[in-house]
């Protein structure tokens, strides 16, 4: 999508004309309740994303046949009306591009009898006698009428603000609607959204301070996306904030955010195992251990916002008990200073491994050896920034940037990234050459789509390069391949008979699935009812949660900053729909809107 801000009057007028011509076809399809006409508003390989408009689900469809098949049963029930272009300065029709293809993009508004909706469309301009068609369109429910998200918070004139907040906190702690388990960026974004949606929520955080989930990670860690992309809801960074945020700055920012958004948070708190759900009263019975005090609570909803990862994945090696040095997982890596003058072997070749190798090499380790067991996807920080700044430019608000970003489903994004690989290869050619010189194996995926899809499909096997390639190229970091066969007192031995001398071993070997951690809390009977997490589902959507999990009253939420910033609205809408009696309905079908 485009990141251009200045638009000439002539181009804007042309964009309005194209967008209105396309919109008229869409209006006709809804007026006639005709699924075939609706599908024909798309290019033959175009994408339609639906978030709760035609079904109680998140779905991605490609091509006329699948789009028509999806909407045919419900297009007569949805009753979409007042479908119009967004004419605000940020959302109005304007020129953009998808790779090398010119498009017109615009935000949309619509209504149904119960809801107000939003959308975003990427239109391929007409060529000769052809009509404009959508390459991609998102439609989503944005508010239930009469229960809209609040705007500015205004203090009561008749009371001190502190008194108002104290009363509010008491009401929430006495009778919460929701317990949000996890006080990282996902839990905080959701809590902030729920506050604006008048949903009473408590955040349960196991650490002593908000932000400790970042403070306790390795010292050199910083975020790999530009600051605009990892902004929190309602709370932009200062104009002089660094482009790539360090983990310490982020930790402190999260703590400030929780205070400024006036979130209700219990620190040093966990939920104990075996919560029970009463399907008659639709309430949980859950014991919260709050700094040693055991409190029994009965919320309607539990939102599991514990992030991507469960426990560290710590492999065992033959001869491990004979190794005389230190073996530690990347989650407890204290920084390169501790290993000055030592020979360190790092097992793994993704983000954490490359960051740690870079830290070790710059802090005086005698030798740094990376064990690469399989090829890795690679993207430079420069090209990564180009991609993200296209959708998250500084001039545009997060509201519209997120709309644009989520208009294209992940499979469509994969096709787009595949087409951009020649550009990436040119920009990053020095990186690839340097890595090859040092023996680091790079994968481009079988379809040539490189690193980006790895984030969504398995969140592993890739890294963002902030200069690591230079260390590989000049030999400061040695790369070896193969599987560890055994350890001796002072070496790591491989299955091909080779070995590397070592004083310490860092296991950058990833994490076990978070769903298995939840199994320890709820038991297999509950968790087996729920959806898988991460990867791509049969509907073409990323399994991030934020929608019914399969277990009533239990919700999953995970992903990067943008996921909780965006999908927290859908999660709040689901919970509101249950309060209002809209959902669920007989046979889990969508009621008339």
């Amino acid at each position: 999508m485009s990141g251009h801000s200045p638009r000439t009057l002539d181009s804007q007028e042309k964009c309005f004309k194209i967008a209105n011509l396309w919109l008229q076809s869409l209006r006709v399809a809804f007026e006639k309740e005709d699924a075939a006409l609706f599908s024909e508003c798309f290019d033959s390989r175009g994408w339609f994303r639906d978030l709760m408009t035609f079904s109680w689900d998140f779905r991605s469809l490609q091509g006329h046949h699948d789009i028509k098949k999806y909407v045919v049963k419900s297009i007569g029930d949805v009753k979409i009306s007042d479908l119009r272009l967004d004419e605000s300065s940020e959302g109005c029709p304007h020129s953009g591009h998808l790779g090398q293809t010119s498009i017109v993009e615009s935000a949309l508004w619509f209504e149904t009898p119960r809801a107000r909706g939003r959308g975003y469309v990427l239109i391929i301009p007409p060529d000769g006698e052809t009509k404009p068609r959508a390459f991609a369109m998102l439609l989503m429910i944005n508010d239930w009428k009469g229960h809209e998200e609040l705007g500015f918070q205004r203090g009561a004139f008749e009371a001190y603000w502190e008194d108002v907040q104290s009363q509010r906190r008491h009401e929430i702690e006495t009778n919460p609607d929701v317990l949000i388990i996890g006080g990282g960026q996902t839990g905080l974004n959701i809590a902030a959204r729920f506050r604006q949606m008048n949903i009473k929520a408590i955040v349960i955080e196991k650490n002593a301070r908000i932000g400790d989930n970042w403070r306790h990670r390795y010292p050199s860690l910083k975020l790999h996306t530009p600051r605009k992309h990892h902004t929190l809801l309602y709370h932009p960074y200062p104009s002089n904030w660094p482009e790539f945020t360090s983990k310490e700055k982020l930790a402190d920012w999260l703590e400030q955010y929780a205070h400024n958004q006036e979130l209700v948070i219990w620190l040093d708190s966990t939920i104990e195992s075996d919560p029970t759900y009463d399907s008659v009263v639709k309430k949980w019975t859950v014991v919260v251990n709050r700094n040693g005090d055991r409190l029994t609570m009965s919320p309607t909803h539990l939102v599991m916002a514990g992030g991507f990862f469960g426990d560290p994945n710590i492999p065992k090696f033959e001869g491990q008990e004979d190794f005389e040095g230190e073996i530690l997982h990347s989650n407890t890596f204290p920084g390169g200073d501790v290993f000055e003058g030592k020979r360190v072997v790092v097992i793994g070749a993704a983000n954490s491994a490359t960051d740690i190798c870079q830290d070790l090499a710059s802090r005086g380790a005698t030798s740094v050896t990376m064990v690469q067991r399989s090829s890795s996807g690679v993207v430079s920080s420069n090209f990564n920034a180009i991609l993200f700044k296209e959708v998250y430019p500084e001039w545009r608000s997060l509201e519209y940037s997120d709309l644009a970003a989520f208009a294209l489903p992940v499979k469509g994004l994969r096709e787009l990234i595949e087409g951009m690989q020649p550009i990436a290869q040119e920009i990053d050619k020095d990186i690839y050459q340097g890595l090859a010189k040092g023996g680091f194996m790079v994968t481009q995926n079988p379809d040539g789509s490189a690193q980006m899809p790895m984030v969504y499909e398995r969140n592993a096997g890739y890294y963002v390069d902030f200069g690591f390639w230079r260390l590989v190229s000049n030999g400061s970091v040695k790369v070896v391949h193969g599987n560890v066969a055994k350890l001796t007192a002072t070496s790591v031995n491989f299955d091909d008979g080779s070995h590397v001398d070592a004083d310490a071993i860092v296991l950058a070997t990833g994490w076990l699935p978070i769903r298995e951690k939840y199994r320890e809390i709820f038991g297999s009977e509950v968790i087996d009812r729920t959806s898988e997490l991460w990867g791509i589902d049969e509907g073409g959507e990323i399994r991030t949660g934020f929608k019914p999990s399969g277990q009533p009253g239990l919700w999953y939420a995970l992903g990067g900053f943008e996921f909780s910033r965006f999908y927290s609205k859908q999660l709040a809408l689901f919970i509101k729909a249950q309060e209002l009696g809209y959902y669920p309905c007989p046979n889990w079908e969508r009621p008339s809107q």
Side-chain angles (χ1 to χ4, degrees):
M1 278 73 80
S2 172
H4 301 304
S5 55
R7 305 167 193 143
T8 66
L9 182 61
D10 287 345
S11 66
Q12 192 172 33
E13 288 178 345
K14 184 177 180 180
C15 290
F16 264 98
K17 183 177 180 180
I18 292 170
N20 275 309
L21 183 62
W22 172 85
L23 189 67
Q24 185 55 39
S25 297
L26 189 63
R27 284 176 177 148
V28 170
F30 282 122
E31 288 167 2
K32 294 186 176 182
E33 299 178 354
D34 191 317
L37 289 180
F38 179 85
S39 68
E40 289 167 9
C41 294
F42 295 82
D43 181 70
S44 61
R45 290 187 53 78
W47 291 93
F48 173 47
R49 285 203 74 206
D50 176 34
L51 305 183
M52 302 170 65
T53 309
F54 287 86
S55 69
W56 290 110
D57 203 356
F58 304 164
R59 293 293 302 274
S60 295
L61 297 308
Q62 184 181 29
H64 293 163
H65 176 268
D66 287 351
I67 293 173
K68 177 183 175 181
K69 182 179 178 182
Y70 174 67
V71 304
V72 68
K73 292 182 180 180
S74 53
I75 193 168
D77 297 326
V78 174
K79 306 295 183 187
I80 285 181
S81 63
D82 196 20
L83 180 63
R84 63 195 186 278
L85 300 174
D86 187 328
E87 297 191 5
S88 68
S89 60
E90 293 185 281
C92 68
H94 60 276
S95 59
H97 56 268
L98 286 165
Q100 303 302 308
T101 303
S102 296
I103 60 167
V104 172
E105 53 186 301
S106 179
L108 307 171
W109 289 99
F110 66 90
E111 293 198 13
T112 75
R114 284 180 175 165
R116 291 186 174 85
R118 300 199 72 176
Y120 206 88
V121 63
L122 313 176
I123 303 170
I124 301 172
D127 181 15
E129 297 299 318
T130 64
K131 294 181 179 180
R133 309 280 187 184
F135 176 80
M137 180 177 70
L138 163 72
L139 293 181
M140 64 184 224
I141 298 301
N142 193 65
D143 276 307
W144 301 119
K145 291 180 178 178
H147 304 274
E148 290 79 4
E149 182 172 351
L150 300 174
F152 291 109
Q153 296 286 334
R154 293 180 171 85
F157 288 109
E158 66 276 9
Y160 290 113
W161 184 250
E162 291 84 355
D163 294 338
V164 173
Q165 293 309 308
S166 178
Q167 180 181 348
R168 172 181 163 270
R169 184 181 186 96
H170 175 74
E171 290 174 356
I172 292 173
E173 292 184 322
T174 302
N175 186 29
D177 301 317
V178 184
L179 297 186
I180 300 170
I181 315 304
Q185 62 271 11
T186 296
L188 298 182
N189 268 333
I190 293 170
R193 178 77 77 179
F194 282 8
R195 180 170 184 258
Q196 295 299 106
M197 299 283 286
N198 198 28
I199 297 171
K200 296 183 294 183
I202 299 173
V203 177
I204 307 297
E205 169 54 38
K206 65 181 179 180
N207 288 308
R209 292 174 62 189
I210 291 295
D212 277 353
N213 60 317
W214 289 92
R215 287 189 191 92
H216 293 165
R217 300 174 73 179
Y218 56 88
S220 62
L221 177 62
K222 59 184 175 182
L223 274 69
H224 294 159
T225 63
R227 64 182 185 184
K228 189 64 177 288
H229 178 262
H230 58 256
T231 301
L232 295 163
L233 263 175
Y234 319 118
H235 204 73
Y237 295 114
S239 59
N240 61 346
W241 194 264
E243 183 173 23
F244 297 101
T245 306
S246 71
K247 59 110 176 180
E248 292 293 342
K249 283 186 73 67
L250 179 62
D252 290 344
W253 187 255
L254 292 176
E255 196 167 43
Q256 293 177 43
Y257 179 80
H259 176 74
N260 291 332
Q261 292 295 315
E262 296 164 332
L263 307 181
V264 178
I265 299 175
W266 288 359
L267 298 170
D268 289 311
S269 299
T270 57
I271 61 169
E272 297 189 353
S273 297
D274 300 323
T276 58
Y277 184 76
D278 188 323
S279 59
V280 176
V281 299
K282 296 180 172 55
K283 295 274 189 179
W284 289 94
T285 298
V286 57
V287 176
V288 177
N289 188 321
R290 187 183 185 190
N291 199 21
D293 293 331
R294 299 177 74 250
L295 308 172
T296 300
M297 308 187 73
S298 301
T300 306
H301 307 277
L302 300 177
V303 177
M304 308 306 293
F308 286 105
F309 308 123
D311 293 328
N313 178 32
I314 302 179
K316 301 296 183 182
F317 304 109
E318 181 184 346
Q320 185 169 320
E321 65 280 359
D322 298 324
F323 185 68
E324 295 177 352
E326 183 179 6
I327 301 174
L328 67 158
H329 191 268
S330 60
N331 74 314
T332 59
F333 178 71
D337 291 343
V338 177
F339 299 95
E340 182 178 359
K342 294 186 177 182
R343 301 165 297 178
V344 187
V345 172
V346 178
I347 299 177
N351 271 323
S352 294
T354 56
D355 283 351
I356 289 170
C357 284
Q358 204 163 346
D359 190 18
L360 288 164
S362 66
R363 300 288 181 173
T366 297
S367 66
V368 182
T369 303
M370 168 181 278
V371 179
Q372 187 181 28
R373 296 164 294 170
S374 59
S375 56
S376 305
V378 180
V379 65
S380 71
S381 58
N382 290 335
F383 187 70
N384 212 36
I386 290 170
L387 290 177
F388 281 108
K389 286 181 178 179
E390 283 292 299
V391 186
Y392 289 93
E394 289 292 334
W395 63 267
R396 185 164 60 185
S397 69
L398 273 175
E399 176 186 1
Y400 284 97
S401 287
D402 281 341
L403 269 176
F406 285 94
L408 189 62
V410 64
K411 289 185 177 180
L413 178 63
R414 186 182 188 117
E415 292 179 6
L416 178 62
I417 296 296
E418 179 183 350
M420 295 180 69
Q421 282 313 294
I423 301 171
Q425 292 286 334
E426 180 61 27
I427 291 175
D428 292 345
K429 62 181 179 181
D430 290 342
I431 291 176
Y432 295 125
Q433 290 171 2
L435 291 172
K437 179 182 176 182
F440 187 96
M441 300 184 301
V442 176
T443 182
Q444 295 298 332
N445 271 338
D447 61 4
S449 56
Q451 167 263 353
M452 183 66 76
M454 297 179 186
V455 179
Y456 300 126
E457 292 170 2
R458 53 195 175 106
N459 197 33
Y462 66 91
Y463 85 93
V464 180
D465 197 294
F466 282 83
F468 171 73
W469 71 274
R470 291 189 176 89
L471 301 177
V472 173
S473 181
N474 66 25
S476 298
V477 174
K478 303 291 185 184
V479 180
V480 300
H481 305 103
N483 295 309
V484 176
K486 66 177 295 186
L487 305 181
T488 69
T490 59
S491 69
V492 179
N493 294 262
F494 299 96
D495 52 9
D496 64 358
S498 63
H499 78 278
V500 176
D501 294 332
D503 301 309
I505 300 169
V506 180
L507 305 173
T509 46
W511 305 77
L512 300 175
I514 187 63
R515 193 163 175 263
E516 297 311 304
K517 189 70 175 177
Y518 295 155
R519 190 180 300 277
E520 296 175 11
I521 299 172
F522 292 94
S524 292
E525 184 177 352
V526 169
I527 296 304
D528 286 344
R529 296 189 195 111
T530 66
S531 55
E532 295 290 336
L533 286 171
W534 212 243
I536 310 301
D537 69 14
E538 63 281 358
E541 291 287 319
I542 305 170
R543 298 187 184 100
T544 56
F546 299 98
K547 63 180 182 179
S549 69
Q551 165 64 50
L554 182 62
W555 309 84
Y556 291 145
L558 78 165
F561 286 74
E562 75 279 22
F563 287 99
S564 55
R565 194 174 58 226
F566 183 77
Y567 288 119
S568 58
K569 186 63 175 285
Q570 274 61 51
L571 176 53
L573 289 170
F574 270 117
I575 288 174
K576 279 291 180 183
Q578 289 190 353
E579 289 179 4
L580 296 169
Y582 299 166
Y583 172 86
C585 48
N587 300 320
W588 296 78
E589 293 177 355
R590 183 172 185 80
S592 175
Q593 279 290 300

